[in-house]
Amino acid sequence: MRMTRVLGAALLTLGLAAGPAAADSSPSPGASEDTDAPTRAGTSFRTATEIEQGQTATANASTGDYLYWSFPADTGQRPTVEATVKLPAEHAAETWQIDVYDGLRRRQACRFGAQTRTAAAGAASVELACALRTVRGWAEPWSGDPLPGTYYVRLTAVDVPASVLGQPVSAEVRVGSQDAGGAAAVDGSLAEPLVPGAGVTRDEEEKSGDEALLASLEPDDGWASGWWSDRWVWTGLGGVLAALAGIGGYALTRGAGRPPRVPPAA
């Protein structure tokens, strides 16, 4: 009976501790959509328009333009970038492509999604997507793994025929992410996130005469917000269960090997 109570208390502790961990592994809602979403795009890495996760940014452009946006991604997140390009009523077949780069301007591979897609002649729109790998807290320089910091989105038409160049188009870009949880945790972290212009104030930027936009957005609860994960929970619970198993084994085996008690002589 006593062991049953102990195991019941352990299971209750397991349920209470695993609750927050399960919540952490749910999709990250990011910033809610609002009327402050950007309505333009940059034309290079240095002038990329900043957007928050959860926002839908729009821009009017011409076929052949390079459109750039940037967004923050923190440790443990799996960002997904989606883009929709609305095409004119009459146009020839054209191919559009979306690329994502990290703070070091390294092109990141997509786990899945239609990164390049060809719109048939006369098609009203074309949709693209790129789901990135999990952002890691630390990685070897040669690995090319995604690291926390600013990410850049580039949207453009490729192999554009001359008859299509300059036609008006409108683009929508959305960024969301999921929390990978403790399964993606690593032992290590960057001293600073890969954010261009980090540590440079706006006054210093104006004095230098550089009008380029520096990345200023960060996750809602700050960088390295993913230091806590369910990895800590399951590690602690594993230790608790191991201790209970030891206590139970001792309780079952104590007394084994002792000589039987001999009743005293009458």
Side-chain angles (χ1 to χ4, degrees):
M1 182 63 70
R2 186 176 181 181
M3 286 299 300
T4 302
R5 291 198 191 98
V6 173
L7 290 176
L11 292 176
L12 179 60
T13 304
L14 174 63
L16 293 176
D24 290 342
S25 61
S26 60
S28 173
S32 59
E33 294 185 15
D34 52 32
T35 56
D36 296 332
T39 56
R40 65 181 182 84
T43 57
S44 68
F45 286 103
R46 293 179 60 79
T47 59
T49 297
E50 292 182 312
I51 60 175
E52 296 181 359
Q53 293 189 20
Q55 283 186 323
T56 298
T58 59
N60 293 322
S62 301
T63 303
D65 290 345
Y66 285 86
L67 307 179
Y68 288 82
W69 294 268
S70 66
F71 66 92
D74 203 5
T75 303
Q77 293 184 337
R78 289 175 177 167
T80 298
V81 181
E82 299 175 323
T84 300
V85 182
K86 298 179 181 178
L87 305 171
E90 297 182 2
H91 64 85
E94 53 189 88
T95 301
W96 285 80
Q97 180 171 307
I98 187 172
D99 297 299
V100 183
Y101 300 82
D102 66 5
L104 298 178
R105 299 186 185 180
R106 301 177 301 180
R107 184 174 179 272
Q108 292 295 316
C110 301
R111 293 188 297 125
F112 57 85
Q115 186 177 6
T116 303
R117 179 169 285 180
T118 300
S125 63
V126 58
E127 297 184 354
L128 307 165
C130 176
L132 299 179
R133 296 170 294 168
T134 304
V135 178
R136 300 168 63 86
W138 179 89
E140 294 288 352
W142 47 261
S143 68
D145 288 339
L147 295 170
T150 300
Y151 282 76
Y152 296 93
V153 179
R154 183 176 71 184
L155 177 65
T156 188
V158 295
D159 299 329
V160 183
S163 60
V164 176
L165 284 173
Q167 288 188 334
V169 297
S170 62
E172 293 183 356
V173 171
R174 300 169 297 279
V175 180
S177 70
Q178 289 184 328
D179 190 348
V186 296
D187 295 328
S189 61
L190 298 180
E192 294 290 341
L194 301 178
V195 179
V200 179
T201 65
R202 188 62 61 178
D203 291 339
E204 292 173 343
E205 178 189 5
E206 292 176 354
K207 290 179 181 178
S208 66
D210 187 359
E211 297 181 356
L213 297 177
L214 299 179
S216 60
L217 293 180
E218 62 179 35
D220 293 339
D221 45 0
W223 290 108
S225 57
W227 71 271
W228 169 261
S229 70
D230 55 5
R231 180 181 182 184
W232 294 89
V233 176
W234 294 112
T235 301
L237 290 177
V240 171
L241 292 177
L244 291 176
I247 295 173
Y250 172 77
L252 293 174
T253 59
R254 68 178 179 178
R258 291 183 179 178
R261 295 182 62 184
V262 180

